[in-house]
Short mmCIF file of all heavy atoms in Angstrom, two decimals:
data_model
loop_
_atom_site.label_atom_id
_atom_site.label_comp_id
_atom_site.label_asym_id
_atom_site.label_seq_id
_atom_site.Cartn_x
_atom_site.Cartn_y
_atom_site.Cartn_z
N ASP A 1 -2.88 20.81 7.25
CA ASP A 1 -2.37 21.43 6.02
C ASP A 1 -1.13 20.70 5.47
O ASP A 1 -0.18 21.34 5.02
CB ASP A 1 -2.02 22.90 6.26
CG ASP A 1 -3.25 23.71 6.73
OD1 ASP A 1 -4.33 23.40 6.23
OD2 ASP A 1 -3.09 24.65 7.50
N ALA A 2 -1.17 19.34 5.51
CA ALA A 2 -0.07 18.59 4.95
C ALA A 2 -0.24 18.50 3.45
O ALA A 2 -1.07 17.81 2.89
CB ALA A 2 -0.05 17.18 5.54
N ILE A 3 0.56 19.30 2.72
CA ILE A 3 0.46 19.36 1.28
C ILE A 3 1.78 18.82 0.67
O ILE A 3 2.84 19.33 0.97
CB ILE A 3 0.20 20.80 0.78
CG1 ILE A 3 -1.13 21.32 1.36
CG2 ILE A 3 0.16 20.90 -0.72
CD1 ILE A 3 -1.39 22.76 1.04
N LEU A 4 1.62 17.79 -0.21
CA LEU A 4 2.77 17.26 -0.87
C LEU A 4 3.00 17.92 -2.20
O LEU A 4 2.03 18.22 -2.92
CB LEU A 4 2.60 15.74 -1.08
CG LEU A 4 2.40 14.84 0.15
CD1 LEU A 4 2.25 13.42 -0.25
CD2 LEU A 4 3.60 15.00 1.10
N THR A 5 4.25 18.21 -2.55
CA THR A 5 4.56 18.79 -3.85
C THR A 5 5.52 17.89 -4.57
O THR A 5 6.37 17.17 -3.95
CB THR A 5 5.20 20.20 -3.70
OG1 THR A 5 6.47 20.04 -3.04
CG2 THR A 5 4.29 21.12 -2.92
N TRP A 6 5.43 17.87 -5.88
CA TRP A 6 6.32 17.03 -6.69
C TRP A 6 7.75 17.41 -6.57
O TRP A 6 8.64 16.61 -6.44
CB TRP A 6 5.81 17.05 -8.13
CG TRP A 6 6.47 16.10 -9.06
CD1 TRP A 6 7.20 16.34 -10.19
CD2 TRP A 6 6.47 14.66 -8.94
NE1 TRP A 6 7.62 15.18 -10.79
CE2 TRP A 6 7.17 14.12 -10.05
CE3 TRP A 6 5.87 13.80 -8.02
CZ2 TRP A 6 7.36 12.77 -10.26
CZ3 TRP A 6 6.04 12.43 -8.25
CH2 TRP A 6 6.74 11.94 -9.32
N ASP A 7 8.03 18.72 -6.56
CA ASP A 7 9.40 19.22 -6.41
C ASP A 7 9.94 18.80 -5.03
O ASP A 7 11.09 18.42 -4.93
CB ASP A 7 9.44 20.74 -6.55
CG ASP A 7 9.24 21.19 -8.01
OD1 ASP A 7 9.44 20.33 -8.93
OD2 ASP A 7 8.91 22.32 -8.24
N GLY A 8 9.14 18.90 -3.99
CA GLY A 8 9.59 18.57 -2.68
C GLY A 8 9.99 17.12 -2.55
O GLY A 8 10.98 16.75 -1.89
N ILE A 9 9.22 16.24 -3.25
CA ILE A 9 9.55 14.82 -3.21
C ILE A 9 10.79 14.52 -4.03
O ILE A 9 11.69 13.77 -3.56
CB ILE A 9 8.32 14.02 -3.72
CG1 ILE A 9 7.12 14.15 -2.75
CG2 ILE A 9 8.69 12.53 -3.92
CD1 ILE A 9 5.87 13.55 -3.27
N LEU A 10 10.90 15.10 -5.19
CA LEU A 10 12.06 14.85 -6.05
C LEU A 10 13.33 15.35 -5.42
O LEU A 10 14.41 14.72 -5.59
CB LEU A 10 11.87 15.51 -7.40
CG LEU A 10 10.81 14.90 -8.34
CD1 LEU A 10 10.74 15.67 -9.63
CD2 LEU A 10 11.09 13.45 -8.62
N GLN A 11 13.24 16.48 -4.71
CA GLN A 11 14.44 17.03 -4.08
C GLN A 11 14.77 16.42 -2.72
O GLN A 11 15.76 16.77 -2.06
CB GLN A 11 14.27 18.55 -3.97
CG GLN A 11 14.20 19.29 -5.28
CD GLN A 11 13.84 20.72 -5.13
OE1 GLN A 11 13.81 21.31 -4.01
NE2 GLN A 11 13.54 21.41 -6.25
N GLY A 12 13.90 15.51 -2.24
CA GLY A 12 14.17 14.82 -1.02
C GLY A 12 13.70 15.60 0.23
O GLY A 12 13.98 15.18 1.35
N HIS A 13 13.02 16.76 0.06
CA HIS A 13 12.55 17.52 1.18
C HIS A 13 11.27 16.89 1.80
O HIS A 13 10.95 17.14 2.97
CB HIS A 13 12.25 18.95 0.79
CG HIS A 13 13.43 19.66 0.18
ND1 HIS A 13 14.68 19.60 0.72
CD2 HIS A 13 13.54 20.44 -0.96
CE1 HIS A 13 15.50 20.34 0.01
NE2 HIS A 13 14.88 20.82 -1.03
N GLN A 14 10.56 16.10 1.02
CA GLN A 14 9.34 15.46 1.48
C GLN A 14 9.36 13.97 1.12
O GLN A 14 10.04 13.60 0.16
CB GLN A 14 8.07 16.09 0.85
CG GLN A 14 7.83 17.52 1.26
CD GLN A 14 6.57 18.10 0.58
OE1 GLN A 14 6.38 17.96 -0.63
NE2 GLN A 14 5.71 18.71 1.35
N ARG A 15 8.62 13.18 1.85
CA ARG A 15 8.45 11.81 1.57
C ARG A 15 6.98 11.56 1.18
O ARG A 15 6.08 12.18 1.77
CB ARG A 15 8.84 10.91 2.71
CG ARG A 15 10.29 10.98 3.06
CD ARG A 15 10.61 10.33 4.43
NE ARG A 15 10.36 8.91 4.44
CZ ARG A 15 10.42 8.15 5.52
NH1 ARG A 15 10.71 8.71 6.66
NH2 ARG A 15 10.19 6.85 5.45
N LEU A 16 6.74 10.68 0.23
CA LEU A 16 5.39 10.36 -0.15
C LEU A 16 4.60 9.85 1.00
O LEU A 16 5.10 9.06 1.86
CB LEU A 16 5.38 9.31 -1.26
CG LEU A 16 5.44 9.83 -2.72
CD1 LEU A 16 5.52 8.65 -3.66
CD2 LEU A 16 4.28 10.68 -3.08
N GLN A 17 3.33 10.32 1.17
CA GLN A 17 2.48 9.84 2.19
C GLN A 17 1.16 9.36 1.54
O GLN A 17 0.68 9.95 0.56
CB GLN A 17 2.16 10.96 3.20
CG GLN A 17 3.36 11.41 3.99
CD GLN A 17 3.01 12.46 5.04
OE1 GLN A 17 1.94 12.34 5.71
NE2 GLN A 17 3.84 13.47 5.20
N PHE A 18 0.58 8.32 2.10
CA PHE A 18 -0.63 7.75 1.58
C PHE A 18 -1.60 7.56 2.75
O PHE A 18 -1.19 7.20 3.86
CB PHE A 18 -0.39 6.42 0.91
CG PHE A 18 0.66 6.48 -0.15
CD1 PHE A 18 1.99 6.18 0.12
CD2 PHE A 18 0.37 6.83 -1.46
CE1 PHE A 18 3.00 6.25 -0.86
CE2 PHE A 18 1.29 6.90 -2.45
CZ PHE A 18 2.66 6.59 -2.17
N MET A 19 -2.87 7.73 2.49
CA MET A 19 -3.84 7.57 3.58
C MET A 19 -3.91 6.10 4.01
O MET A 19 -3.68 5.18 3.19
CB MET A 19 -5.21 8.05 3.09
CG MET A 19 -5.26 9.50 2.67
SD MET A 19 -4.60 10.63 3.89
CE MET A 19 -5.72 10.36 5.28
N SER A 20 -4.24 5.88 5.22
CA SER A 20 -4.32 4.51 5.78
C SER A 20 -5.42 3.67 5.14
O SER A 20 -6.31 4.21 4.50
CB SER A 20 -4.56 4.54 7.31
OG SER A 20 -5.88 4.96 7.56
N CYS A 21 -5.33 2.39 5.26
CA CYS A 21 -6.30 1.46 4.64
C CYS A 21 -7.73 1.74 5.16
O CYS A 21 -8.69 1.77 4.39
CB CYS A 21 -5.88 0.00 4.90
SG CYS A 21 -4.33 -0.44 4.15
N SER A 22 -7.87 1.92 6.48
CA SER A 22 -9.19 2.14 7.02
C SER A 22 -9.76 3.48 6.55
O SER A 22 -11.00 3.61 6.32
CB SER A 22 -9.15 2.10 8.55
OG SER A 22 -8.23 3.03 9.05
N ASP A 23 -8.95 4.51 6.37
CA ASP A 23 -9.43 5.75 5.83
C ASP A 23 -9.93 5.60 4.40
O ASP A 23 -10.93 6.19 3.99
CB ASP A 23 -8.31 6.84 5.91
CG ASP A 23 -8.00 7.25 7.31
OD1 ASP A 23 -8.84 7.07 8.18
OD2 ASP A 23 -6.86 7.74 7.54
N LYS A 24 -9.17 4.84 3.60
CA LYS A 24 -9.60 4.61 2.22
C LYS A 24 -10.90 3.86 2.16
O LYS A 24 -11.78 4.19 1.32
CB LYS A 24 -8.52 3.83 1.45
CG LYS A 24 -7.22 4.60 1.22
CD LYS A 24 -6.18 3.78 0.52
CE LYS A 24 -4.87 4.55 0.29
NZ LYS A 24 -3.85 3.74 -0.37
N ILE A 25 -11.09 2.86 3.01
CA ILE A 25 -12.35 2.12 3.00
C ILE A 25 -13.48 3.02 3.45
O ILE A 25 -14.60 2.91 2.93
CB ILE A 25 -12.22 0.87 3.94
CG1 ILE A 25 -11.16 -0.10 3.38
CG2 ILE A 25 -13.58 0.16 4.03
CD1 ILE A 25 -10.91 -1.27 4.23
N ALA A 26 -13.22 3.95 4.37
CA ALA A 26 -14.25 4.89 4.82
C ALA A 26 -14.74 5.70 3.66
O ALA A 26 -15.95 5.98 3.44
CB ALA A 26 -13.74 5.79 5.93
N VAL A 27 -13.80 6.17 2.82
CA VAL A 27 -14.19 6.93 1.58
C VAL A 27 -14.92 6.04 0.60
O VAL A 27 -15.88 6.45 -0.02
CB VAL A 27 -12.95 7.57 0.93
CG1 VAL A 27 -13.29 8.24 -0.37
CG2 VAL A 27 -12.34 8.62 1.86
N TRP A 28 -14.46 4.78 0.45
CA TRP A 28 -15.21 3.85 -0.42
C TRP A 28 -16.61 3.65 0.03
O TRP A 28 -17.55 3.41 -0.82
CB TRP A 28 -14.48 2.48 -0.46
CG TRP A 28 -13.14 2.48 -1.06
CD1 TRP A 28 -12.60 3.49 -1.82
CD2 TRP A 28 -12.17 1.47 -1.02
NE1 TRP A 28 -11.35 3.10 -2.22
CE2 TRP A 28 -11.03 1.85 -1.75
CE3 TRP A 28 -12.15 0.17 -0.40
CZ2 TRP A 28 -9.92 1.12 -1.88
CZ3 TRP A 28 -11.00 -0.58 -0.53
CH2 TRP A 28 -9.90 -0.15 -1.28
N ASN A 29 -16.86 3.79 1.32
CA ASN A 29 -18.23 3.65 1.80
C ASN A 29 -19.08 4.86 1.47
O ASN A 29 -20.28 4.89 1.76
CB ASN A 29 -18.25 3.43 3.35
CG ASN A 29 -18.18 1.97 3.72
OD1 ASN A 29 -18.72 1.12 3.01
ND2 ASN A 29 -17.52 1.64 4.80
N VAL A 30 -18.49 5.84 0.81
CA VAL A 30 -19.23 7.03 0.30
C VAL A 30 -19.27 6.99 -1.23
O VAL A 30 -20.29 7.15 -1.82
CB VAL A 30 -18.64 8.33 0.85
CG1 VAL A 30 -19.31 9.53 0.20
CG2 VAL A 30 -18.79 8.42 2.34
N VAL A 31 -18.11 6.82 -1.84
CA VAL A 31 -18.03 6.96 -3.30
C VAL A 31 -18.12 5.61 -4.03
O VAL A 31 -18.27 5.57 -5.25
CB VAL A 31 -16.73 7.65 -3.72
CG1 VAL A 31 -16.60 9.02 -3.07
CG2 VAL A 31 -15.46 6.82 -3.33
N GLY A 32 -17.96 4.47 -3.30
CA GLY A 32 -17.98 3.18 -3.92
C GLY A 32 -16.58 2.67 -4.22
O GLY A 32 -15.63 3.42 -4.24
N ILE A 33 -16.45 1.39 -4.53
CA ILE A 33 -15.16 0.77 -4.81
C ILE A 33 -14.82 0.73 -6.32
O ILE A 33 -13.71 0.28 -6.66
CB ILE A 33 -15.13 -0.66 -4.23
CG1 ILE A 33 -16.15 -1.56 -4.89
CG2 ILE A 33 -15.30 -0.69 -2.71
CD1 ILE A 33 -16.06 -3.00 -4.51
N GLN A 34 -15.73 1.23 -7.13
CA GLN A 34 -15.49 1.14 -8.62
C GLN A 34 -14.49 2.15 -9.10
O GLN A 34 -13.91 2.02 -10.15
CB GLN A 34 -16.81 1.29 -9.33
CG GLN A 34 -17.32 2.72 -9.43
CD GLN A 34 -17.78 3.29 -8.12
OE1 GLN A 34 -18.22 2.56 -7.24
NE2 GLN A 34 -17.67 4.61 -7.96
N GLY A 35 -14.20 3.20 -8.31
CA GLY A 35 -13.25 4.20 -8.72
C GLY A 35 -13.83 5.21 -9.67
O GLY A 35 -14.97 5.05 -10.14
N ALA A 36 -13.06 6.26 -9.94
CA ALA A 36 -13.53 7.35 -10.80
C ALA A 36 -13.75 6.91 -12.22
O ALA A 36 -14.76 7.30 -12.87
CB ALA A 36 -12.55 8.53 -10.76
N LEU A 37 -12.84 6.11 -12.78
CA LEU A 37 -12.94 5.74 -14.20
C LEU A 37 -14.21 4.93 -14.47
O LEU A 37 -14.91 5.21 -15.41
CB LEU A 37 -11.71 4.94 -14.62
CG LEU A 37 -10.37 5.64 -14.51
CD1 LEU A 37 -9.22 4.79 -15.05
CD2 LEU A 37 -10.38 6.98 -15.28
N LEU A 38 -14.47 3.91 -13.68
CA LEU A 38 -15.71 3.10 -13.89
C LEU A 38 -16.95 3.82 -13.57
O LEU A 38 -17.99 3.47 -14.12
CB LEU A 38 -15.60 1.84 -13.10
CG LEU A 38 -14.92 0.60 -13.71
CD1 LEU A 38 -15.00 -0.62 -12.75
CD2 LEU A 38 -15.59 0.27 -15.04
N SER A 39 -16.88 4.89 -12.75
CA SER A 39 -18.10 5.62 -12.44
C SER A 39 -18.68 6.38 -13.66
O SER A 39 -19.83 6.87 -13.60
CB SER A 39 -17.83 6.63 -11.31
OG SER A 39 -16.95 7.67 -11.72
N HIS A 40 -17.90 6.45 -14.77
CA HIS A 40 -18.45 6.97 -16.00
C HIS A 40 -19.53 6.05 -16.54
O HIS A 40 -20.39 6.48 -17.29
CB HIS A 40 -17.34 7.10 -17.05
CG HIS A 40 -16.43 8.26 -16.82
ND1 HIS A 40 -16.82 9.58 -16.87
CD2 HIS A 40 -15.10 8.29 -16.51
CE1 HIS A 40 -15.78 10.36 -16.69
NE2 HIS A 40 -14.73 9.63 -16.42
N TYR A 41 -19.50 4.77 -16.17
CA TYR A 41 -20.36 3.77 -16.77
C TYR A 41 -21.43 3.26 -15.79
O TYR A 41 -22.55 2.91 -16.22
CB TYR A 41 -19.53 2.56 -17.23
CG TYR A 41 -18.53 2.85 -18.29
CD1 TYR A 41 -17.18 2.96 -17.93
CD2 TYR A 41 -18.89 3.02 -19.61
CE1 TYR A 41 -16.24 3.24 -18.91
CE2 TYR A 41 -17.94 3.30 -20.59
CZ TYR A 41 -16.61 3.38 -20.22
OH TYR A 41 -15.69 3.66 -21.18
N ILE A 42 -21.07 3.07 -14.54
CA ILE A 42 -21.94 2.38 -13.62
C ILE A 42 -22.16 3.25 -12.37
O ILE A 42 -21.42 4.16 -12.06
CB ILE A 42 -21.36 1.02 -13.20
CG1 ILE A 42 -20.02 1.23 -12.51
CG2 ILE A 42 -21.19 0.11 -14.45
CD1 ILE A 42 -19.38 -0.08 -11.99
N GLU A 43 -23.22 2.90 -11.66
CA GLU A 43 -23.53 3.51 -10.37
C GLU A 43 -22.56 3.00 -9.30
O GLU A 43 -21.93 1.95 -9.51
CB GLU A 43 -24.95 3.32 -9.97
CG GLU A 43 -25.98 3.99 -10.91
CD GLU A 43 -27.39 3.76 -10.47
OE1 GLU A 43 -27.65 3.04 -9.46
OE2 GLU A 43 -28.29 4.35 -11.07
N PRO A 44 -22.45 3.67 -8.15
CA PRO A 44 -21.49 3.25 -7.13
C PRO A 44 -21.74 1.77 -6.70
O PRO A 44 -22.86 1.29 -6.57
CB PRO A 44 -21.78 4.18 -5.96
CG PRO A 44 -22.37 5.41 -6.62
CD PRO A 44 -23.14 4.89 -7.78
N VAL A 45 -20.61 1.06 -6.50
CA VAL A 45 -20.65 -0.32 -6.01
C VAL A 45 -20.11 -0.27 -4.60
O VAL A 45 -19.00 0.08 -4.35
CB VAL A 45 -19.81 -1.24 -6.86
CG1 VAL A 45 -19.78 -2.65 -6.28
CG2 VAL A 45 -20.25 -1.25 -8.32
N TYR A 46 -20.97 -0.67 -3.59
CA TYR A 46 -20.58 -0.57 -2.20
C TYR A 46 -20.30 -1.93 -1.59
O TYR A 46 -20.85 -2.93 -2.01
CB TYR A 46 -21.74 0.09 -1.41
CG TYR A 46 -21.92 1.55 -1.72
CD1 TYR A 46 -23.11 1.99 -2.36
CD2 TYR A 46 -20.97 2.49 -1.42
CE1 TYR A 46 -23.25 3.34 -2.69
CE2 TYR A 46 -21.12 3.87 -1.72
CZ TYR A 46 -22.32 4.26 -2.31
OH TYR A 46 -22.44 5.58 -2.61
N LEU A 47 -19.40 -1.93 -0.62
CA LEU A 47 -19.07 -3.12 0.13
C LEU A 47 -20.26 -3.51 1.00
O LEU A 47 -20.74 -2.73 1.80
CB LEU A 47 -17.84 -2.91 1.03
CG LEU A 47 -16.48 -2.68 0.33
CD1 LEU A 47 -15.47 -2.20 1.37
CD2 LEU A 47 -16.01 -3.94 -0.34
N GLU A 48 -20.71 -4.74 0.88
CA GLU A 48 -21.80 -5.22 1.71
C GLU A 48 -21.29 -5.64 3.10
O GLU A 48 -21.94 -5.42 4.11
CB GLU A 48 -22.50 -6.42 1.06
CG GLU A 48 -23.68 -6.91 1.85
CD GLU A 48 -24.46 -8.00 1.12
OE1 GLU A 48 -24.31 -8.12 -0.09
OE2 GLU A 48 -25.25 -8.67 1.79
#
């Protein structure tokens, strides 16, 4: 239940956190590397 809030970050109570590189690639292996914006135009592009 790690939830980041904008107020918490601005006030210094929280630090920004980002998912690890391997976790992001794992998600890309499901949704593709084209991202949400390009998915309006093209089908998912997967890493071979």
Side-chain angles (χ1 to χ4, degrees):
D1 300 326
I3 299 176
L4 299 180
T5 65
W6 189 238
D7 288 341
I9 293 172
L10 290 180
Q11 295 172 10
H13 302 314
Q14 294 179 313
R15 294 167 66 187
L16 271 175
Q17 295 185 39
F18 306 93
M19 301 307 298
S20 70
C21 297
S22 56
D23 290 337
K24 291 178 180 178
I25 296 175
V27 173
W28 293 348
N29 270 326
V30 174
V31 302
I33 62 173
Q34 77 292 331
L37 298 183
L38 270 182
S39 67
H40 285 294
Y41 300 101
I42 62 177
E43 293 183 355
V45 177
Y46 291 114
L47 292 169
E48 182 174 345

